[in-house]
Structures are given as C-alpha cells and as structure tokens.
Amino acid sequence: MKKILCSAFLLLTLTAFSQKTYQEYYNLGHAKLDFNQDYKGAIQDLNKAIELKSDYFEAFRDRGICKSELKDYKGGLEDLDKAIELNANDYTAIVSRANTKLKTKDYPGALEDYNKALELKPGSYKMAETLNNKALAKFELGDKTGACEDWNKAGKAGNADAYANIKKYCK
C-alpha cells in the first residue's frame, strides 16, 4: 500500500511539473503570432493562457490581433476591448483595435482610438503608420484637410504610403 501511495504521489508530482504555465502558453502563442503568422495556432495557445489566468491582458490583446488577422473582426474587437478594459494604456491594444475598427468601417471609433494611441506614445516607432491610418479614417469621415495634414506628418515621419495618399487625394 505504501508503494502504491508513493507511486501515485510521484506520478502526480511529475504531471504537475509537466504542465505549462499561463506565461509559457502566452510565450508560445506570441511567438506564433509574431514570427510565424500562425494565427490559428497562436489562438490555441492564447486560449490556454487565458484559461489559466483570466485577467491576462496581453493574451487577450494578442488573441484579438490574431482574430482580426483571420477576419473575425467581432471576436477580435471583443478581445481587444477586454485587453483595454484590463489595461487602458496599452498602446498596441489601442492601435490594434483602431486598425480593426478601420477595417470594419467604424471610422469615428478608429479615429478616437488613433488619437488616444498618439497621446500615449507620440514618439512611438509606429507613429508614422498610426498617423497614416488616422488620416485614412479622417478621409473616410470627409475631413480631407485633416487627412492631408496627417498624411504629411506621416510622410515626414517615414511612412511611404502617406506620400502615395497625398498624391492621390490631396491635390
């Protein structure tokens, strides 16, 4: 009986040590998102991270990005909203939500998120892309002057697409 209990304890101990942590699942999912663009695989790992830590904003953020990349915009927005609810100052979550809103033609919502992102990190290395996308939202809302001003700023910050948009729309 003592041998059976010891064996059972050893088996439970080994099983416990072989379980991945929420951080390990997140790291796997994040790597699949960033390096492989394996969005479905990333979602599987991020789901496990969220199961283990239900308030893990980075996992919600990355899962929202993956869902948006797979054109599940509703699911992407739900996850990005949750990530922002958990961390209202995460630049990446806010920009990702803005990009998803832009894709779904929620231009006022996209513009609001782009403005917030630029307030949080005005000198971000992604600022030029954010300004270019903000200009797209403005243009779609009928603010051609504001769009052209933002495209000009985006171009000066290094976004080549901005100059193409200026040439096409700002005559």
Side-chain angles (χ1 to χ4, degrees), residues 40-171:
K40 289 179 182 178
I43 288 171
Q44 290 174 348
D45 290 324
L46 296 167
N47 285 342
K48 291 175 184 169
I50 291 167
E51 284 174 22
L52 294 171
K53 184 171 172 45
S54 62
D55 64 346
Y56 197 12
F57 88 88
E58 292 98 333
F60 279 104
R61 178 196 62 210
D62 286 5
R63 191 173 74 175
I65 292 168
C66 290
K67 287 179 179 181
S68 293
E69 288 295 329
L70 292 170
K71 297 185 178 11
D72 174 8
Y73 300 123
K74 182 178 183 279
L77 286 170
E78 287 171 0
D79 280 348
L80 292 165
D81 286 345
K82 180 68 175 178
I84 293 166
E85 175 188 316
L86 293 168
N87 183 350
N89 294 317
D90 185 65
Y91 175 85
T92 302
I94 294 167
V95 167
S96 297
R97 186 172 72 178
N99 291 340
T100 302
K101 287 178 178 180
L102 189 65
K103 290 174 187 172
T104 62
K105 300 182 183 196
D106 175 5
Y107 303 119
L111 187 58
E112 182 180 332
D113 282 346
Y114 287 130
N115 285 331
K116 171 140 180 150
L118 289 166
E119 285 174 22
L120 287 172
K121 289 195 175 182
S124 167
Y125 74 98
K126 292 247 182 191
M127 182 185 73
E129 181 182 343
T130 302
L131 281 166
N132 183 64
N133 290 344
K134 177 184 170 192
L136 288 170
K138 282 184 174 180
F139 186 81
E140 292 296 336
L141 288 169
D143 182 3
K144 182 178 174 182
T145 302
C148 293
E149 288 171 2
D150 282 343
W151 277 323
N152 189 42
K153 291 176 192 173
K156 288 179 180 176
N159 186 287
D161 291 338
Y163 288 120
N165 288 327
I166 290 170
K167 187 174 181 180
K168 187 173 180 179
Y169 301 114
C170 303
K171 299 180 183 194

